[in-house]
Amino acid sequence: MTLLEPHNMPFAAALVIMLILAIVQLIGVADFGDADLDLDADADGLPDAGMLDGLLTLLGIGRVPLTIWLALFLFLFAGIGLSIQELAASLTGGPLYSWLAALIAGVAALPVTGIFARPLGRIMPKDHTTAVSTDSLVGRRARITDGIARQASPARARVKDVHGQSHYVMVEPHEASSELHAGDEVLLVRREGNQFYATALAERRLSPTQVN
């Protein structure tokens, strides 16, 4: 049984795509290494957010750069698929239909990818994935952690960047007459120097980009 036989084509294609991803990374044509997913599952309006977060953790999504996760998945998908075809041929005298083998291999490869991605994420260097500009925090949601924010009297707030890394910033209300209390969820709408200005999100959802 060879890799280029018709019933093995999904797995051959997966290996080709994996090699292309590796080459792109090596020659630096495009930097997909920082294409982490912003998958904070505490979003308002998602009653099953905890379940979703647990599923993403199980699959290892967000633990390593997206390109690394995809390359690992493709490699495992191809390896599992080829093993399934070899096993089917030895037991029944012929391989499975390519689509059936691909379906089984895809389902099996997802949790296996998570098993490898989680420890890999703990040992990979983080410097290239966590550095963000301060300006990138504008437009994200934050939560007041200490004090009461009033005009000319900022309070401390916690905001997560696109990588899920927490940052603590000083916040004043965007509306001069407003107050933002500890525990309030706010939207960072502008920045002046090191000072952020925010509007409350107590009764409206102005941005789906970030929830703490």
Side-chain angles (χ1 to χ4, degrees):
M1 183 179 297
T2 67
L3 182 62
L4 297 181
E5 292 181 7
H7 49 265
N8 285 333
M9 289 308 295
F11 315 118
L15 290 175
V16 170
I17 295 172
M18 184 196 71
L19 289 175
I20 291 173
L21 290 175
I23 292 171
V24 166
Q25 288 290 292
L26 287 174
I27 66 177
V29 171
D31 184 8
F32 296 109
D34 291 340
D36 295 322
L37 300 179
D38 182 17
L39 295 169
D40 188 347
D42 293 328
D44 287 340
L46 293 178
D48 295 327
M51 183 181 299
L52 176 60
D53 186 57
L55 177 60
L56 295 176
T57 300
L58 177 66
L59 299 180
I61 296 176
R63 305 301 175 181
V64 294
L66 180 59
T67 309
I68 301 299
W69 186 94
L70 182 58
L72 182 59
F73 170 79
L74 291 171
F75 177 76
L76 292 170
F77 168 75
I80 292 173
L82 292 172
S83 298
I84 289 173
Q85 294 293 51
E86 289 285 354
L87 180 61
S90 65
L91 293 178
T92 66
L96 300 177
Y97 291 112
S98 60
W99 63 267
L100 179 57
L103 178 63
I104 297 172
V107 172
L110 283 172
V112 177
T113 302
I115 291 173
F116 284 95
R118 291 194 300 274
L120 183 61
R122 288 194 290 268
I123 64 175
M124 286 187 64
K126 301 296 184 181
D127 292 345
H128 70 291
T129 62
T130 57
V132 298
S133 68
T134 305
D135 286 336
S136 70
L137 300 177
V138 176
R140 302 191 70 78
R141 294 186 182 187
R143 192 176 299 277
I144 305 298
T145 59
D146 302 293
I148 300 175
R150 302 183 178 94
Q151 186 179 25
S153 179
R156 192 166 180 252
R158 180 169 61 93
V159 56
K160 290 184 179 180
D161 62 27
V162 66
H163 307 295
Q165 181 75 30
S166 292
H167 301 264
Y168 289 88
V169 298
M170 300 305 293
V171 171
E172 287 185 30
H174 178 62
E175 299 85 1
S177 60
S178 297
E179 292 185 351
L180 305 172
H181 294 252
D184 286 354
E185 188 180 28
V186 300
L187 177 68
L188 303 180
V189 295
R190 62 187 175 94
R191 168 179 170 253
E192 295 180 5
N194 293 326
Q195 185 68 55
F196 286 85
Y197 294 83
T199 186
L201 288 173
E203 297 180 355
R204 58 192 184 278
R205 299 179 176 84
L206 299 181
S207 170
T209 58
Q210 177 68 38
V211 179
N212 287 331

